[in-house]
Amino acid sequence: MSATVFLLTPPFTQLNTPYPATAYLKGFLNTRNITSFQADLGIETTVALFNRKGLQELFARIGQNTLTAQSENITRIIALQDDYIATIDDVILFLQGHNPTLAHRICKRDFLPEAGRFAQLEDLDWAFGSMGTQDKAKHFATMYLEDLSDLIRECVDEHFGFSRYAERLGRSANSFDELYNALQKEYTYIDQLLIALLQQHMKAVQPKLVAISVPFPGNLYTSLRCGQWIKQNCPGVKVVMGGGFANTELRSLSDPRVFEFYDFITLDDGEAPIENLVHHIEGTRSLEELKRTFTLVDGQVTYFNNKACSDYKQGQVGTPDYSDFQLNKYISAIEVVNPMHRMWSDGRWNKLTMAHGCYWGKCTFCDISLDYIRLYEPIAASLLCDRMEEMIKQTGENGFHFVDEAAPPALMRALALEIIKRKLVVSWWTNIRFEKSFTRDLCLLLKRSGCIAVSGGLEVASDRLLELIQKGITVAQVAQVNRNFTEAGIMVHAYLMYGFPTQTAQETIDSLEMIRQMFGAGILQSAFWHLFTMTAHSPVGLEPAKFNVRRESDGLGSFANNDLVHVDESGADHETFSFGLKKSLFNYMHGIGLNDPLQKWFEFKVPKTKVAPDYITQTLTQDLYATTRPTTKIVWLGKQPAVEHFTKSKKGNSWEMTSLTFQDRREKYSISVGREQGDWLAGMLDQLSVNNAKTYTLQEVMDSYREAGFEDFELFWDNKPVNTLHKVGLLKL
């Protein structure tokens, strides 16, 4: 199993699917003939902990440590330890999808031991209905694991969390002191499990370079533990850290102590930096030839960025490679019954990117100055589909999460057409901008290709603030786009923001009113509020005075520098709105309280909304963006019709007619038009078929109609018979 590079993701990121960074890098290294092995130590540590033997050792360790006072909840869990030990293996098998019939027993509420987490159970009838046994059981089993995580946190490891281990130590750690001190302490119980697994892999892989991916603050501490052990026990092996945390937080790193744990830290796209590091370790490249890499030189943190070395284009980086992962061990959990949140934690998703960076790249709260967002480069739809087919063969899974900053509508259209042409059966979801390009017909096309959900930033639902954010959208536009997605059968999740600079209490309440009306109109299924954070690489962070805020401190930390504390003297006291905003949203997603006054959700006096009570419903009666241009592409997704000719007679007059009968998966549709026009239409639909290489514009369809000797194209094309075909798959794109 010897490999040049050992790619690892330390605990904890996700339990249901591998974090994709190492799979992307492994796919790239394959193209360069560099051998690699990858492991997700998050799922491996989880499985090592949550089994019969692991729990027996856990409870034994707790039993030896009886000096600390325990909460009533923990006392109950310890009293029920035999029940936890007896059920844990079956529960994990169930959550891994290997034991589905256990759902019936779990749902009876007399199989699993229940502690404090079960007191928080939400409205299960709303979430799962009367038939959702599997999902309901997943939710109960997740609560059961969360109870055990509370036990671990209170009794053996204060830092434990399923997707964010020791996150507090990593979040906004301007100084490395607290992390450094924690790393001088004895191993925690989780550390011991992690290091035992790391040791096994290091012995088997025998790498020259260990590349550790740190996407979040929640796996920074464990990455340092891994680096610490490798540098102490494998002195000939080099360790490099990279990923989202380094890209945003460590760009001004100056603390040399960090390099007691890593030899190198790379920034931004990892392909060229890791290739150069491999060559450097093999002795064929100098330090000066490294790409976007920090290392220690004579005790000083030094940054090397060989400008002569260019990054790879997206078409050159290869297909993400999911081999080596223990894919059958991932756990599908349902922690929160928010419909979109369960997409992140439930089910195995292959991760892909449609385009590098963001095609919009203007939002003032976003880190648009950084290359991973600033440099936009889409991938051809045919190449994306090639990669999808490769990944389906490799993983056996046909679910895809496109992890774009914002997927480009034109590329989504091209990808959907390619998926349909290849007859791929896939389910996919992604993040978007709620922009006017998402017409009714484009949403129908996306649905036909397998799109099941989209998430996008509505942010502050206020046109003044959306303009200040430079979001490039209006609330009315978002409402109409959401309607198009919803009517196509695609779930919509909105990211909501409060506390943007200069946001007033009135604007916060008016924003909530917009959200209430969208839920009331049925055009929004899921949402989540976030408090605005000023970051160092965003336009607001770079020029705070321009947005009427100021940084609390101008000091630069020696370790992490991204989240900036700011003072907003002209805005509201934003944090006071937090509980009411989240409580109202939770109820709206349940269909509760949609007609109640907004004051109900707050324990302090709030302004009355100035938004008209029918603003959203009135917006939905207008179709501001449904214009059809001659360059609009016309695509036929349906089957070829059955054609019959007949004579229609009325009051002594007769007409030769054509009947076209269309069958789709659910219904049959029939239309009748004049005989010659009917024959032309049947032939035209054959040419417009999505299976053909050529795509026709509306102008070309119009020219064909006139060349056939017919007049009044608009009268024919916009009449009821042809409009009926939109239900069967005639789309204007």
Side-chain angles (χ1 to χ4, degrees), residues 501 534 539-551 554 566:
M534 188 166 86
V540 179
L542 292 168
E543 297 183 275
K546 190 174 173 182
F547 296 86
N548 293 313
V549 293
R550 58 182 171 82
R551 287 181 57 172
D554 289 327
H566 71 283

Side-chain angles (χ1 to χ4, degrees), residues 54 157 222 313 364 392 394 455 489 494 523 532 632 641 663 703 733:
D157 190 339
T222 50
K313 297 291 185 185
T364 54
I392 291 170
Q394 186 186 95
S455 57
I523 59 171
F532 166 79
T632 297
Q663 303 275 3
D703 292 344
L733 301 170

Side-chain angles (χ1 to χ4, degrees), residues 280-328:
H280 171 66
I281 289 163
E282 291 175 340
T284 57
R285 294 215 180 140
S286 66
L287 269 178
E288 290 72 23
E289 289 178 285
L290 295 181
K291 180 81 173 167
R292 289 193 302 272
T293 301
F294 286 106
T295 191
L296 210 58
V297 178
D298 298 330
Q300 295 290 315
V301 178
T302 307
Y303 183 64
F304 294 99
N305 185 18
N306 176 12
K307 295 287 177 65
C309 172
S310 57
D311 281 297
Y312 286 90
K313 297 291 185 185
Q314 292 304 294
Q316 301 172 305
V317 296
T319 300
D321 185 343
Y322 279 77
S323 59
D324 309 330
F325 286 130
Q326 299 175 16
L327 294 177
N328 63 339

Side-chain angles (χ1 to χ4, degrees), residues 91-105:
V91 170
I92 294 296
L93 280 171
F94 167 70
L95 290 175
Q96 290 171 335
H98 307 315
N99 190 11
T101 56
L102 189 67
H104 299 281
R105 291 199 64 190

Side-chain angles (χ1 to χ4, degrees), residues 102-110 132-134 136-137 140:
L102 189 67
H104 299 281
R105 291 199 64 190
I106 291 174
C107 287
K108 298 292 184 189
R109 302 286 297 272
D110 61 358
T133 306
Q134 290 289 323
K136 194 185 291 188
F140 288 148

Side-chain angles (χ1 to χ4, degrees), residues 154-170:
E154 187 167 326
C155 296
V156 297
D157 190 339
E158 63 177 324
H159 299 309
F160 184 75
F162 280 117
S163 59
R164 47 183 71 89
Y165 185 79
E167 184 179 43
R168 185 189 61 77
L169 294 177

Side-chain angles (χ1 to χ4, degrees), residues 351-408:
K351 308 271 187 172
L352 261 178
T353 309
M354 290 190 208
H356 180 283
C358 179
Y359 71 95
W360 180 248
K362 298 178 184 176
C363 297
T364 54
F365 63 81
C366 184
D367 293 339
I368 59 174
S369 66
L370 299 183
D371 285 354
Y372 81 93
I373 292 175
R374 185 176 63 84
L375 299 178
Y376 172 66
E377 184 195 344
I379 303 172
S382 58
L383 180 55
L384 273 172
C385 263
D386 290 345
R387 291 178 177 176
M388 290 172 78
E389 289 184 307
E390 280 185 60
M391 292 168 76
I392 291 170
K393 286 177 187 171
Q394 186 186 95
T395 66
E397 301 283 351
N398 63 354
F400 287 84
H401 176 199
F402 291 96
V403 293
D404 293 64
E405 300 297 320

